[in-house]
Amino acid sequence: MIDKSSLLDKKWHALESNEVLDSLKCTVEGLKQEEAQNRLAAFGPNKLPDKMKINIWKIIFSQLVNPLIFILIAAAIASVLIGEGKDAIFILLVILINTGIGAYQEYNAEKSAANLQKLLRIRARVLRDGEETEIDSEGLVPGDMVLLESGSKVPADLRLMETHGLEIDESFLTGESQAVLKHTEPLKINTVVADRKNMAFAGATIMSGRGLGIVAATALETEVGKIAENVSTGESAKPPLILRMEKFTKNIGYIVIVLSVLLAILLRFQGMDMAAIFFFVVALTVSAIPEGLPVSLTVALAVATNRMAKRNVIVKKLTSVESLGSCTVIASDKTGTLTVNQQTVKRIYFPDGSNFEITGEGYNGEGKVYSPKNKEVSAELKEHPALKQILEVSIMANEAILEKENGGWKHYGDAMDVALLGVGYKAGLDPKEVRKYLKPVDKIPYESENKFSAGFYEREGEVFCGLKGAVEKVLEFCTFPASHGSTQSQILEQVEELAANGYRVLGFAEGKAENFSKKENYGESEIPQLEFVGIICFIDPLRAEAKSSVEKCKKAGIKVIMITGDHPATAANIAKDLGMQAENMPVVSGKMLSQAGSPDKQEFQDLVMSTAVFARVSPQQKLEIVDVLIKKGEFVAVTGDGVNDAPALKRANIGVAMGSGTDVAKDVGAMIVVDDNFTSIVAGVEEGRFAYDNVRKVIYLLVSTGAAEVFMFLMAIILGLPLPLLAVQILWLNLVTNGIQDKALAFEAGEPETMERNPRKPSEGIFNRIMTNQLVVSGFVIGSMAFAYWYYLIEYQNMGEYHARSLVLLLMVFLQNFHIFNCRSERTSTFKIPISKNYWLIILVGAAQAIHIASMYIPFMQGILRIEPITFNEWITVLSLAAPIIIAMEIFKLINNRLFPRKA
């Protein structure tokens, strides 16, 4: 029995095959069944730890742990202490509604989140007691011999012992878009994960070939497991909205405390007894605190969540909605995010110097082939015999399948072979039809040792050999007559140039196979002398919308950076095509970061800040890059779809996982982009900005009317007048009339220039200059208008306090009704914003007014609110007194726009 601790941190890739077998105490014939059971008991099942079940009570508790909720609870307790139990009921009702809405949203999101377990729940073919058997991958243990074949998934981390043309797609882990050709030779001890070509990692997909590997690590000891464990314990940055609301709540708390102390001192000097002072202080506190804010904030974020869902962005937590809109940097993965993660033929070159361009992307036959004269190639291909020849060779020396079925395309086999069939369709060549007039005779499958594959087929009664493979290998079988147009060295130079531009290149050749006879195995000597036909260039293409989306981010002041495990040359060319990389901007590789030292060193940080493109980086380095950006004051959104993205997704201010990505990435991300489209991410940024703007509008409305109430109170106290409104009436204003209509602001459509301004500074609070100015002005105007009316009714009309309060309360409701239209924009005139953009405004303002009027005529409500009915003439008078608030704020906007013009 082997010691579990002896296997930890073992550098399996650096060991010889016999050393691996010795370390794991096993043979190439596999473990004995009894030994496998003993090891399973010692090492545990090959699965990631079960994710904790969703706890609804935990979600409810998280909703209650909110600074504004604490203030509301304090206000409720204070209301009970002064005998205003009805006031406390109002406040507690708000808390219940807020908690219920938030918990419901979060519970549903968590319920649909991805599961970490799926990645390792696969079947595995193993050798036990010298015989092949199939078991659940959870039963694998270190030392098991696993058989690999095309189309299967790797069930654990394996040290490869045999390979036969084994190519594995590890893009989910490394970010490398190209399938990796594996071998069994030992590597240097410091070889990074992406370059460990003698290892196969859990969750990877076998694209072609076959192999035999020995299990070196299972469960949490696999590369996937290490990342999953890192993610579960990693630190996650707070969403910007939470940071700003915490700051806002502290500010409100300080203001309430200061005002309460000043008021208590003032009233004591006026000779008021302590009980009455306590009553006044509670009334003031209720005025100053925007009790309706938590519910309104939740509604605003819920509306934004639904809007994001319609634009293919699923948000898992309400507070994450605005986070994407706050980002100053989007750190994007390349493979599958900016590109389609599907090899596509883009160019075909011929020895005579001519070339063809191909449009379309992905594993399908949708697209066109254009000649050197930029003319679309016809389906007959009569004018382009060389093109027809190379495409026929690519079909006959091909082991893949690509077919149209039920309106879509299905494919199977090697990525390059599928891409070759795709370009055939684009040129009008159906593989099935081609194989009818070029009858297949035999083929040589691709083997990594050979670096080529070939097909033998009949053409007009003669057998031909069509061959494809690495260009330098194909050239070994070819002749170059003077009429050919290019020499062998010229072709190789062209291949190097194309590779430097990020292309993968295959060479093609064809010739007669005279005296051909079928054999079980073919050696290179059976390949006849061939004529070099041309080269075909592949690339993992950009998503069609990616470039315009990156440009939109630039206009919005957001820096887009690429972090990939792919080759630096490929990354550089993708960045160049996207317009991400400025002149002379370096591509920073993982090796350069390692040489720079630890992330806390200035050299490392300078390197991170010097570029927008990172290539060949490890998952740990990706995490370190994000960490440096956050410490430099950036709000970072990290996008990605692979396991390699998970730690950075967790650490970022906002993690955005791709819908087709791995379960690990989706579990960690705060939101999921359903269609994997970078454009949807930008749409999410826009909706996030809209959401924050709408939250500001709600805060502006609630705090300005609250400030007006405080001003009205202070003026009444200073001039020795009775309180204009009672505490229960203030609660009615804050929780009911304003609480109904302020929800309409959550439905505001957003202003057109939202994506043309720079992101808010991460340090900027909710109360910036324009917010502070408009709060002061509107609070002063509304408070002055209401107090002036109160003063007039008490001092000049000698009206009874009961009826006067009914009129002042109605005036405040009207002022709120008008003022909400001012809150639709901080700069744009109310009269320039079409009401058609938000019909909810009219509906909810009308509802607030109707409910208040009804309360004046319902005996039960009259008793609670201490109000009485008014006449129609009084209603018209109060309406006309409230309307000027619109004019006052229009003047403010005009002056503000001239003094402080809008900046980009």
Side-chain angles (χ1 to χ4, degrees), residues 605-659:
Q605 295 174 13
D606 290 343
L607 205 56
V608 169
M609 302 307 291
S610 70
T611 187
V613 186
F614 299 87
R616 279 280 191 254
V617 296
S618 68
Q620 183 60 33
Q621 287 174 327
K622 182 174 287 193
L623 177 62
E624 290 167 354
I625 290 166
V626 172
D627 202 43
V628 167
L629 290 169
I630 291 174
K631 287 177 179 176
K632 289 290 183 181
E634 304 285 2
F635 263 100
V636 184
V638 171
T639 72
D641 58 358
V643 175
N644 61 314
D645 298 313
L649 286 170
K650 177 78 172 179
R651 176 68 182 99
N653 297 96
I654 185 77
V656 185
M658 299 296 106

Side-chain angles (χ1 to χ4, degrees), residues 53-66:
K53 291 183 179 179
I54 301 168
N55 188 322
I56 187 64
W57 298 109
K58 203 170 183 179
I59 292 175
I60 290 172
F61 180 76
S62 71
Q63 293 292 319
L64 291 171
V65 181
N66 181 310

Side-chain angles (χ1 to χ4, degrees), residues 251 255 696 699-700 703-704 707 765-780 826 889 892 896:
N251 290 339
I255 291 170
R696 279 176 62 90
I699 291 173
Y700 173 27
V703 175
S704 60
I766 291 173
F767 290 100
N768 58 3
R769 180 191 50 75
I770 190 169
M771 175 68 96
T772 302
N773 290 348
Q774 65 188 7
L775 282 176
V776 170
V777 172
S778 59
F780 174 77
E826 295 179 344
M889 296 315 295
F892 166 79
N896 182 72

Side-chain angles (χ1 to χ4, degrees), residues 36-201:
Q37 290 301 320
N38 291 337
R39 293 191 183 192
L40 185 63
F43 287 87
N46 176 38
K47 67 174 186 175
L48 302 181
D50 291 329
K51 187 180 176 184
M52 289 180 65
K53 291 183 179 179
I54 301 168
N55 188 322
I56 187 64
W57 298 109
K58 203 170 183 179
I59 292 175
I60 290 172
F61 180 76
S62 71
Q63 293 292 319
L64 291 171
V65 181
N66 181 310
L68 280 176
I69 297 294
F70 295 155
I71 291 179
L72 288 178
I73 292 172
I77 293 171
S79 298
V80 171
L81 291 175
I82 62 173
E84 297 293 338
K86 294 174 182 176
D87 297 3
I89 291 173
F90 266 122
I91 297 171
L92 292 175
L93 185 61
V94 169
I95 294 172
L96 286 174
I97 293 172
N98 176 73
T99 303
I101 294 174
Y104 175 77
Q105 290 280 345
E106 189 170 338
Y107 178 77
N108 280 344
E110 288 289 335
K111 208 173 166 187
S112 63
N115 194 329
L116 278 168
Q117 306 307 311
K118 294 179 183 176
L119 201 58
L120 290 178
R121 286 182 181 171
I122 49 182
R123 301 288 288 176
R125 290 170 55 222
V126 300
L127 295 175
R128 291 272 176 93
D129 293 323
E131 295 183 2
E132 183 182 323
T133 184
E134 188 173 288
I135 65 171
D136 193 286
S137 65
E138 290 187 7
L140 287 175
V141 295
D144 262 324
M145 299 300 299
V146 179
L147 290 90
L148 302 172
E149 61 183 356
S150 180
S152 64
K153 276 189 175 290
V154 180
D157 280 6
L158 311 177
R159 172 62 164 87
L160 296 171
M161 309 300 282
E162 292 180 18
T163 60
H164 303 278
L166 186 65
E167 289 194 340
I168 302 181
D169 178 6
E170 296 174 344
S171 60
F172 81 103
L173 178 66
T174 65
E176 171 65 69
S177 61
Q178 301 175 4
V180 181
L181 181 62
K182 297 292 186 176
H183 60 69
T184 60
E185 298 303 314
L187 301 168
K188 291 181 179 179
I189 197 165
N190 59 350
T191 304
V192 297
V193 171
D195 293 330
R196 293 178 188 173
K197 295 184 179 180
N198 59 6
M199 298 289 295
F201 300 106

